[in-house]
Amino acid sequence: MITVKKLSHDFVIGKKGRQTIIPILRDISFSVEKGEIVTIVGRSGSGKSTLLNLVSGFIHPKEGEIWISGEKVSNLNEAKFADFRIHNLGFIFQSFQLIPSMTAFQNVELPLILKGINEGERRKQTEEMLKKVGLLDYQDHYPGELSGGQQQRVSIARALIVNPPIILADEPTGSLDSETEEDLLKFIKELNRDLGITFLIITHDDKVAEIGHRTIELRDGRIFEEVRLVCN
Amino acid sequence: MQLKDQFRFVRQNMKKNKTRVFMTILATAMGCAFLIVLASVGFGLQKSVVKEMTEQRVITQIDVHGKEIADQGGFRPVSEKDIQIFEKLKDVKAVTRRKMLQQEGNFSIGNYQEPAQTVVANFPSEVKAGLELSAGRLPKGEDEVVVGYNFPLNLAIKDAPDDRYDDKGQLKAEYRYTGKLIGEKLEITVRQLKDGKQEEKTIPLTVVGISKKPTREWAEDRSVFISDTILTEIENFTGTPKGYLLDPNSEVPKDQDIHENSFDEVKIYARNMEAVQGISDQLKDMNYATYSVVNELKEVNMIFMIAKAGLIFIGTIAILIASIGIYNTMTMAVTERAPDIGIMKAIGANPKTIKRIFLLESSYIGLIGALIGTLVSYGISYAVNFAIPLIIKQAFGKETEINIIFSDIPFILPVICIVICYGVTIISGYRPAQRATRVDVLKAMRREV
């Protein structure tokens, strides 16, 4: 489903003539199978967020290749990656990334608008999705009027609304309390089991790492260890 | 993304900063109103001038004043031979030709009299050109005449006092001839100086027809149409072509012979307005001196076209100034909405879609401004046309002689304004829209890399 081949990336800082190259990722190769939950763990600065941003297409890799659903995405331009993203990828962010001036309903509806779905169909699908995440009664609330858990559920509903085969999550429980965290992890497991959605999750939380079928640990921009968890 | 949804996005975004958007729309509306009102003065004055010109003249009419004499450089009058040439030209409907009696004929009927212009006309061509009678018929006999519509209205009793006319210059009813005119005997008295003495000759005529009232309110037709035979009789008496009246203080003109069998007033009527230019050009090529209102209109329209283009250019500067406001508003909007743009891009919004939304927003502001500006300018135009004549009357104590239109907004003017405004807003919104597409997703979402 996701294949990363010999991926390297670095950042250049400083003004022209006095630039410093900071290596972030070095020679990363791994793959994620269909229906798998893979967690990427590592300390702060290990390069895990950069890895997710590269897979998401938010930044372009300096070296290496990224394949998703059989398509080489590492050399797609911004417009083409945007089209690919709306049909294939869902995103869950640590800080939810909801648009504050839009209601829960409008936030969830947004990907469908971008896909060009008609209004009637959008309403039906959005209400179904909000019902699924238990927020139908909150559809007219703005993000500022919802709790952290509720906001994350809106974020998940927005990610799921276009039925993506893959969801990329960046510290999905980072802003949640322990009770809400457990609910969310349970929900992710259900989605994986019932709908066969593939998850690639970045986390530094052991509890989150435990729900994965495999865990990849990054250290100093390189894969340090890859562990398959039997219980999952 | 559907266009309907893009419009919904634009409206939502505009609601977020109502005051700023309102001020930008206001600036655009003012720019548009300025452009339209400024140009409307050019359109209004042109309309007034053209109206004045076309009201005085028939638009399909070409006056022929004579033909240039190749060697001598002067002009000779139009002859019967020339008329035959004119009648053969393409798209010529009629060629009217008139000979004028070169003295004022004094007409009398019983105890009433009236001096009037005496004309010999070719009636078949006059009818083709549009001559109609209000009563009677066209002349058949040599002594039969047709009189103008206003002739009987000015037929006054012989011993009428000097104050026979009212304030409007009309003959007072008590001095006016009230009897029937058709079939009545009318006498024409012509004069000539013979051996130092003035002699008179009276010729009896019969009125058989009265022409139709002139269509133009101000026009007055008091002429009397006599036959060629009567004119010959007058010429025999006066001894001069067309009854030229000799003056005791001056010599007899030597070039009188050129006026023999020539016409004093020749008018060519084209089938339609479009044909006038072609006929005029052909006549010009044949060295005829012509005048048509279409030729004059062409020159007047050219001058006004240059003036209007200049006014529109000046007005466009106001819109360009307003476009700075649009540019500023859109730049602020992009800066403020960068996090939202980042999120939209992160979930799959195409950069083209983002660009289109911002361009739509700037053009939306421009178009609303242009529409409001158009409405306001119609109001200003109406007020100007209403108020300026009043101001002139108050300031100078009299009304404007000509019915001047100070401001006129034809349909094309708001269209030009909207097109200019739309173009300018697209240009001013383009750079901010382009900037919106370059918003970095990660920076916008304030995520660590």
Side-chain angles (χ1 to χ4, degrees):
Chain A
M1 203 80 198
I2 303 173
T3 307
V4 173
K5 291 179 185 172
K6 296 184 174 183
L7 192 69
S8 294
H9 195 73
D10 47 43
F11 288 117
V12 179
I13 56 166
K15 287 181 182 174
K16 217 173 179 181
R18 283 190 297 173
Q19 287 170 331
T20 311
I21 296 168
I22 302 170
I24 305 294
L25 294 170
R26 281 285 168 269
D27 204 24
I28 302 284
S29 296
F30 69 92
S31 61
V32 179
E33 300 302 322
K34 192 180 178 199
E36 221 182 354
I37 301 176
V38 173
T39 56
I40 311 272
V41 297
R43 288 180 182 171
S44 184
S46 61
K48 55 186 190 302
S49 286
T50 303
L51 179 60
L52 191 78
N53 290 333
L54 286 164
V55 175
S56 309
F58 299 153
I59 46 176
H60 281 279
K62 293 277 164 67
E63 275 177 48
E65 291 175 3
I66 301 165
W67 293 73
I68 301 175
S69 303
E71 189 166 347
K72 189 180 177 183
V73 295
S74 47
N75 54 2
L76 288 180
N77 65 28
E78 197 183 3
K80 281 186 180 164
F81 211 120
D83 288 338
F84 179 82
R85 213 179 280 146
I86 193 100
H87 290 100
N88 295 280
L89 303 174
F91 292 92
I92 303 171
F93 304 105
Q94 181 182 353
S95 50
F96 323 128
Q97 300 296 355
L98 299 174
I99 295 179
S101 59
M102 288 182 176
T103 62
F105 182 93
Q106 288 168 334
N107 267 290
V108 176
E109 188 193 24
L110 187 58
L112 297 179
I113 292 174
L114 295 173
K115 271 184 93 175
I117 310 289
N118 70 60
E119 199 174 351
E121 186 62 26
R122 283 198 318 250
R123 174 153 286 280
K124 194 178 141 199
Q125 286 188 30
T126 307
E127 281 177 355
E128 269 176 26
M129 190 51 68
L130 282 167
K131 199 174 172 185
K132 205 175 206 171
V133 296
L135 287 172
L136 191 59
D137 295 339
Y138 295 87
Q139 61 173 309
D140 294 325
H141 288 236
Y142 287 92
E145 297 163 357
L146 300 171
S147 69
Q150 287 170 326
Q151 286 187 54
Q152 193 59 297
R153 275 191 280 165
V154 172
S155 162
I156 291 169
R158 185 181 64 188
L160 291 173
I161 192 86
V162 288
N163 297 318
I166 302 162
I167 287 183
L168 305 175
D170 185 10
E171 305 278 8
T173 60
S175 303
L176 304 178
D177 58 58
S178 57
E179 198 181 328
T180 319
E181 182 184 2
E182 271 181 30
D183 287 345
L184 180 67
L185 295 177
K186 205 175 142 190
F187 188 56
I188 288 173
K189 275 182 162 179
E190 278 172 19
L191 290 172
N192 173 251
R193 190 183 59 230
D194 301 341
L195 302 173
I197 296 173
T198 306
F199 280 87
L200 178 64
I201 304 170
I202 301 293
T203 185
H204 62 266
D205 186 336
D206 292 344
K207 270 189 191 173
V208 179
E210 280 169 13
I211 69 161
H213 299 105
R214 272 190 299 140
T215 296
I216 297 168
E217 186 182 348
L218 291 183
R219 273 194 198 175
D220 302 326
R222 292 176 191 276
I223 293 177
F224 176 71
E225 191 179 29
E226 191 172 329
V227 181
R228 185 170 291 276
L229 300 170
V230 184
C231 58
N232 289 312
Chain B
M1 193 173 182
Q2 292 176 349
L3 190 67
K4 196 172 73 175
D5 294 314
Q6 290 178 21
F7 270 108
R8 206 187 69 184
F9 259 75
V10 167
R11 281 197 299 275
Q12 275 178 356
N13 290 338
M14 284 167 76
K15 276 180 194 169
K16 284 178 197 169
N17 266 301
K18 282 181 192 165
T19 312
R20 195 170 62 206
V21 169
F22 172 76
M23 296 308 281
T24 314
I25 288 174
L26 187 68
T28 314
M30 283 167 72
C32 282
F34 180 71
L35 186 153
I36 294 175
V37 171
L38 200 65
S40 78
V41 176
F43 279 94
L45 292 177
Q46 183 184 19
K47 198 174 179 180
S48 300
V49 172
V50 169
K51 196 178 161 195
E52 192 65 20
M53 284 168 66
T54 51
E55 268 182 3
Q56 300 282 348
R57 316 270 309 188
V58 177
I59 200 105
T60 54
Q61 178 186 310
I62 304 163
D63 295 352
V64 185
H65 299 295
K67 188 174 182 179
E68 195 178 348
I69 305 164
D71 303 331
Q72 296 156 25
F75 285 87
R76 66 160 176 79
V78 178
S79 66
E80 189 61 46
K81 210 175 165 187
D82 298 315
I83 300 291
Q84 285 170 12
I85 295 169
F86 301 158
E87 282 179 330
K88 280 176 192 162
L89 292 174
K90 200 188 162 198
D91 290 325
V92 168
K93 189 173 130 193
V95 182
T96 64
R97 55 275 198 180
R98 291 180 177 186
K99 290 175 186 171
M100 306 292 184
L101 185 67
Q102 298 300 310
Q103 61 173 284
E104 205 167 49
N106 192 33
F107 293 90
S108 59
I109 181 166
N111 200 28
Y112 292 84
Q113 65 172 11
E114 178 184 356
Q117 190 181 44
T118 312
V119 181
V120 176
N122 176 285
F123 280 103
S125 62
E126 294 283 346
V127 170
K128 266 193 202 172
L131 176 81
E132 286 180 84
L133 300 182
S134 63
R137 59 170 172 80
L138 291 173
K140 286 176 187 165
E142 288 167 350
D143 68 333
E144 291 179 344
V145 296
V146 166
V147 296
Y149 180 85
N150 300 90
F151 179 82
L153 303 173
N154 291 283
L155 204 52
I157 199 155
K158 281 180 179 169
D159 54 359
D162 290 344
D163 65 341
R164 68 185 79 167
Y165 298 105
D166 62 14
D167 297 342
K168 291 178 182 171
Q170 305 283 327
L171 184 65
K172 287 178 183 169
E174 61 262 39
Y175 305 119
R176 195 186 299 161
Y177 176 77
T178 50
K180 76 176 183 75
L181 208 59
I182 304 286
E184 291 299 310
K185 290 287 172 197
L186 182 73
E187 287 181 336
I188 179 173
T189 305
V190 287
R191 291 161 291 139
Q192 186 57 296
L193 199 68
K194 289 186 175 177
D195 304 324
K197 283 184 182 175
Q198 187 164 289
E199 289 184 17
E200 287 187 349
K201 181 181 170 67
T202 301
I203 302 166
L205 305 164
T206 307
V207 180
V208 293
I210 301 170
S211 71
K212 207 175 175 184
K213 188 182 180 184
T215 46
R216 290 180 180 87
E217 203 61 26
W218 45 265
E220 204 174 55
D221 182 9
R222 288 168 61 178
S223 41
V224 177
F225 295 87
I226 59 167
S227 66
D228 241 329
T229 313
I230 299 294
L231 181 66
T232 309
E233 198 178 332
I234 295 169
E235 284 174 334
N236 289 342
F237 165 70
T238 58
T240 51
K242 295 170 197 165
Y244 184 85
L245 188 61
L246 298 171
D247 189 335
N249 301 320
S250 57
E251 288 179 16
V252 178
K254 286 172 187 167
D255 64 341
Q256 283 214 41
D257 56 322
I258 67 160
H259 293 288
E260 273 182 75
N261 296 318
S262 67
F263 298 99
D264 300 299
E265 188 184 283
V266 176
K267 288 173 181 172
I268 298 175
Y269 290 87
R271 289 195 190 284
N272 49 50
M273 204 179 93
E274 289 71 33
V276 174
Q277 192 59 50
I279 296 169
S280 290
D281 291 344
Q282 286 183 66
L283 292 171
K284 202 177 168 188
D285 291 343
M286 290 188 279
N287 294 328
Y288 285 102
T290 64
Y291 168 83
S292 79
V293 77
V294 171
N295 287 351
E296 203 174 329
L297 276 179
K298 206 174 154 188
E299 285 174 24
V300 167
N301 284 339
M302 175 59 79
I303 292 165
F304 273 102
M305 198 180 79
I306 295 165
K308 286 186 295 187
L311 292 173
I312 289 172
F313 175 75
I314 295 167
T316 306
I317 294 171
I319 294 181
L320 284 172
I321 294 167
S323 76
I324 297 169
I326 295 174
Y327 177 82
N328 185 44
T329 298
M330 295 314 298
T331 306
M332 296 276 280
V334 171
T335 308
E336 282 172 4
R337 279 180 235 149
D340 296 0
I341 296 166
I343 293 166
M344 284 175 71
K345 284 178 83 173
I347 59 175
N350 196 301
K352 277 183 189 168
T353 308
I354 306 273
K355 188 175 173 179
R356 217 178 298 139
I357 289 171
F358 279 92
L359 279 177
L360 205 60
E361 188 170 332
S362 65
S363 49
Y364 206 71
I365 289 171
L367 285 179
I368 293 173
L371 290 175
I372 293 172
T374 302
L375 289 177
V376 170
S377 56
Y378 270 104
I380 294 172
S381 174
Y382 178 80
V384 161
N385 286 332
F386 178 76
I388 288 191
L390 292 179
I391 295 167
I392 290 174
K393 198 180 172 186
Q394 286 293 319
F396 303 105
K398 60 177 181 179
E399 288 181 23
T400 46
E401 281 180 19
I402 312 163
N403 188 19
I404 293 178
I405 302 161
F406 292 95
S407 167
D408 178 58
I409 305 176
F411 178 70
I412 189 72
L413 188 52
V415 172
I416 290 171
C417 177
I418 288 168
V419 168
I420 290 174
C421 197
Y422 184 73
V424 166
T425 49
I426 289 286
I427 293 167
S428 58
Y430 189 82
R431 210 175 134 82
Q434 193 72 16
R435 226 184 100 192
T437 65
R438 289 199 294 263
V439 166
D440 187 275
V441 177
L442 300 175
K443 277 183 189 167
M445 296 198 304
R446 293 190 187 90
R447 295 181 62 210
E448 61 174 281
V449 288

